[in-house]
Amino acid sequence: MQNKRLKTLDRSKSHLWIVGGGIAGMAAAAFAIRDAKVPAEHIHILEELNVSGGSMDGGHNPLNPNQAWVTRGGRMLTDETYLCTWDLFSSIPSLENPDISVREECREFNEQIKTNAQARLIDSNHIVAEAQKLGLSTLNRAQMLRLLALKEDRIGSRRIDEFFDDTFFQSNFWRMWRTTFAFQKWHSAAELRRYFLRFIQELPRIHTLAGVKRTKYNQYDSMIHPLQRWLVEQGVDVRFGSYVTDADFVEDAQTKERKATQLYVNIPEGTEQIQLGEHDLALFTLGSITADSRYGDKFDVPELIRDRQDHGWRLWETLAQKAPDFGRPMTFYGNIDEHKWKSFTLTMHDDVLLKRIIDYTGNEPGTGALMTWFESGWHLSVVVPAQPHFADLPEGKFTLWGYGFEIDHIGDYIKKPMSEATGQEILIELIHQLGFDDILDHVLAHTDITTVMMPYASALFACRKAGDRPLVIPENAVNFAFLGQFVELEDDVVFTVEYSVRCAMIAIYQLLGVEREIPEIYNGLLDPKVGLNALEAVFH
């Protein structure tokens, strides 16, 4: 894509102050070193937590660190759409073999472990449905075409269910699309349209998820850990326990150029102010889908936080008051009940459950992608990844991850909402949904379960209108940019690693005048073969 370069700063004198140590901030640091040739020791990452990666986590259960592992969510990748991500990780040595990149490791892994789900949808009688039959009516197809034909300014802040009738939401297509990409029918129709365009190549294989690519281990071990190690080796200054509470901006009365001039930072020792020099940049990560996450284990229930206790949203709230084009964060955090999730990770201390799942589905670990019980009260889905899914998982232990999509509904076997269920109760519900009642007692005795309540997990799909998300580089900004899942990138889709990496690339390339093209956003409709395959699929 065309790279709009702004007035070039002196990169040798520039200091980059990156607010937030998630994948967007880390990617910005990497691009600044690799492509803008900024001295690594001039790059400073301010991160509130004691670990990098933000929402891309994976590790020990903080409540039971010796016996249980956890990821709050999973990441699915594709070759076609994650072009900026692959560009970044082609330069980062992998976790275990410094002679190959993360990108090369991922490619080799997916050549060995190919996704081809055989049990994508399962009904209430434990029968695997014929998921390849998408079940779309002529009216449903017309409704999809109507949405695709509209421009976003015409769609505005309307919901998905304003464009489709009830039969669409009972189709196999919707059952798979919603759980693959985490859509609810009250989410943004504009975002669904973007997903249709961005992932149209996946439509013919949505029942097998054969286009999905995964990392060797979880997202932290395979992507964040190697990237963090590389940044530190280059000399990047990573400051944990530091979070920015406010920033000052000035506008030139004649040129209208806007500059960030000062950061206000809370640090373990107290507070400090950071003055930005003539050639310095400030990059602000906005919002967080894992803010106020709370963990539970086998016998307790994680709390649902409603009053924004941590600082994942506060900085954006503060900055938004300084200029009308800095976005409207309340659009996204304002309705917790529409966006909360509860996920769970099983740590199995033997292979009894794992072997039964393999026999039941016909999929070895890592090849099955999502399994969804589409008639279950909690609308449960699980993924059995390739084992081990954690780099430090001891031999003889295994993990799987799952989540509920209707956590305020009553379970089929546990007669309470999933939001009120303990880890053990969720495990009991899952075993009954699988129809494995005969091994229930054994599984309960040999499995630890970690649950996570996330108030804002799908907040990035909130119905929005123009201006709710700020531009990566606001108009007339010369030394600051916004990063993360809550900025506006035309045509790209949120809830992807690619979105965060792309916005970081745009910020660094434009602010620092990098003369290198940014990869185009993939559009499968430009390929006649992709379009034809998608058309055949919706008529199947």
Side-chain angles (χ1 to χ4, degrees):
M1 63 182 289
Q2 186 176 6
N3 182 11
K4 178 185 175 184
R5 291 182 288 275
L6 304 179
K7 183 170 65 176
T8 304
L9 302 172
D10 187 337
R11 303 176 195 173
S12 66
K13 297 179 181 178
S14 292
H15 280 256
L16 269 64
W17 295 93
I18 300 173
V19 180
I23 183 61
M26 298 174 76
F31 289 133
I33 296 168
R34 189 192 73 179
D35 301 329
K37 308 304 179 186
V38 174
E41 60 271 19
H42 288 189
I43 299 173
H44 317 276
I45 298 177
L46 307 176
E47 169 55 48
E48 179 178 5
L49 303 178
N50 61 0
V51 63
S52 296
S55 299
M56 294 180 65
D57 64 333
H60 295 251
N61 174 356
L63 304 178
N64 186 12
N66 296 322
Q67 295 295 323
W69 282 254
V70 61
T71 56
R72 288 177 291 189
R75 298 294 181 274
M76 294 185 292
L77 312 169
T78 67
D79 285 335
E80 299 91 345
T81 51
Y82 285 70
L83 300 181
C84 295
T85 304
W86 299 134
D87 182 283
L88 168 64
F89 283 101
S90 65
S91 303
I92 307 302
S94 69
L95 178 68
E96 297 171 330
N97 183 357
D99 294 329
I100 65 171
S101 68
V102 171
R103 172 59 174 140
E104 291 171 308
E105 178 189 72
C106 188
R107 185 183 289 114
E108 291 178 4
F109 175 76
N110 284 279
E111 288 174 355
Q112 299 170 10
I113 309 291
K114 297 182 183 297
T115 302
N116 186 30
Q118 302 299 306
R120 182 64 185 85
L121 296 176
I122 304 168
D123 69 17
S124 58
N125 294 315
H126 323 300
I127 296 172
V128 176
E130 293 186 64
Q132 69 270 25
K133 296 181 179 179
L134 300 186
L136 293 168
S137 68
T138 300
L139 176 60
N140 298 154
R141 299 181 195 112
Q143 291 166 337
M144 292 175 69
L145 288 173
R146 176 190 173 222
L147 180 60
L148 285 169
L150 288 175
K151 299 294 185 182
E152 281 198 15
D153 59 352
R154 294 287 304 279
I155 298 171
S157 60
R158 284 186 283 177
R159 298 161 40 131
I160 293 170
D161 57 9
E162 294 182 59
F163 288 86
F164 298 94
D165 68 355
D166 288 341
T167 63
F168 176 79
F169 299 113
Q170 298 303 316
S171 68
N172 281 348
F173 169 77
W174 174 249
R175 290 165 179 161
M176 292 184 286
W177 196 270
R178 71 177 296 214
T179 48
T180 300
F181 299 115
F183 277 104
Q184 300 279 25
K185 62 184 179 181
W186 53 80
H187 283 159
S188 166
E191 199 63 41
L192 179 65
R193 176 184 178 274
R194 289 194 184 193
Y195 262 79
F196 282 165
L197 293 171
R198 201 79 164 88
F199 290 103
I200 192 170
Q201 73 280 2
E202 303 306 323
L203 207 156
R205 53 198 185 196
I206 192 68
H207 61 293
T208 64
L209 294 175
V212 167
K213 301 295 186 288
R214 296 192 183 276
T215 51
K216 180 178 180 180
Y217 299 118
N218 64 80
Q219 58 219 2
Y220 180 83
D221 287 337
S222 285
M223 301 181 85
I224 297 300
H225 188 171
L227 180 55
Q228 169 72 3
R229 182 177 61 189
W230 184 84
L231 292 173
V232 172
E233 288 173 351
Q234 304 308 304
V236 172
D237 170 30
V238 182
R239 303 184 186 182
F240 294 118
S242 302
Y243 64 92
V244 174
T245 60
D246 200 354
D248 291 334
F249 300 84
V250 297
E251 180 177 324
D252 187 285
Q254 292 184 327
T255 66
K256 303 301 180 183
E257 287 186 345
R258 292 188 285 179
K259 296 186 69 174
T261 58
Q262 183 166 249
L263 306 179
Y264 297 84
V265 189
N266 278 21
I267 59 176
E269 298 78 19
T271 62
E272 67 175 353
Q273 289 80 47
I274 297 172
Q275 298 286 338
L276 300 182
E278 180 183 357
H279 298 280
D280 294 349
L281 302 179
L283 307 180
F284 302 91
T285 304
L286 302 180
S288 170
I289 63 172
T290 50
D292 288 318
S293 293
R294 293 295 184 269
Y295 293 87
D297 57 21
K298 208 167 188 176
F299 300 111
D300 62 13
V301 179
E303 182 183 5
L304 174 62
I305 303 299
R306 293 184 176 273
D307 55 352
R308 300 191 303 287
Q309 293 181 13
D310 71 16
H311 304 96
W313 293 93
R314 289 186 186 176
L315 176 61
W316 189 12
E317 288 183 277
T318 301
L319 298 184
Q321 299 175 28
K322 297 177 182 291
D325 62 340
F326 283 7
R328 292 181 278 269
M330 190 173 180
T331 297
F332 304 98
Y333 71 63
N335 195 330
I336 286 173
D337 288 319
E338 287 193 351
H339 301 303
K340 64 180 185 288
W341 274 23
K342 192 173 184 179
S343 71
F344 56 92
T345 305
L346 304 189
T347 302
M348 299 166 279
H349 300 293
D350 65 20
D351 62 0
V352 171
L353 176 57
L354 186 67
K355 284 184 173 179
R356 283 291 292 272
I357 293 175
I358 293 170
D359 291 341
Y360 176 63
T361 63
N363 281 115
E364 291 294 324
T367 69
L370 278 171
M371 302 160 54
T372 296
W373 286 268
F374 64 92
E375 295 178 325
S376 62
W378 296 344
H379 208 92
L380 287 174
S381 293
V382 300
V383 177
V384 182
Q387 304 294 318
H389 192 50
F390 298 84
D392 66 346
L393 192 70
E395 187 175 353
K397 297 184 186 294
F398 312 91
T399 61
L400 67 77
W401 176 86
Y403 74 106
F405 226 33
E406 304 287 356
I407 67 173
D408 288 330
H409 290 192
I410 303 299
D412 299 313
Y413 303 93
I414 300 297
K415 298 299 183 179
K416 63 170 64 173
M418 186 181 180
S419 58
E420 300 175 9
T422 66
Q424 178 154 299
E425 289 170 333
I426 291 172
L427 181 54
I428 291 170
E429 179 79 16
L430 175 63
I431 297 303
H432 284 310
Q433 293 290 348
L434 283 161
F436 297 169
D437 301 31
D438 58 309
I439 61 170
L440 175 61
D441 290 341
H442 179 93
V443 171
L444 291 177
H446 293 82
T447 305
D448 280 291
I449 181 166
T450 306
T451 58
V452 188
M453 180 66 79
M454 295 171 281
Y456 311 105
S458 66
L460 28 61
F461 285 160
C463 292
R464 54 177 169 76
K465 59 182 182 296
D468 286 342
R469 304 190 299 201
L471 298 176
V472 176
I473 302 177
E475 186 177 3
N476 297 324
V478 295
N479 77 333
F480 68 93
F482 297 127
L483 304 178
Q485 295 287 310
F486 295 94
V487 299
E488 177 59 39
L489 287 178
E490 186 177 4
D491 296 331
D492 210 349
V493 293
V494 292
F495 224 159
T496 62
V497 178
E498 177 71 4
Y499 202 85
S500 292
V501 175
R502 181 175 289 274
C503 73
M505 183 179 264
I506 289 171
I508 293 299
Y509 280 31
Q510 293 188 7
L511 288 174
L512 291 173
V514 175
E515 295 184 358
R516 183 173 183 263
E517 290 300 310
I518 297 171
E520 295 285 348
I521 290 177
Y522 175 80
N523 184 344
L525 284 180
L526 299 179
D527 184 336
K529 184 177 180 180
V530 171
L532 180 60
N533 289 340
L535 189 63
E536 290 177 348
V538 298
F539 277 91
H540 185 67

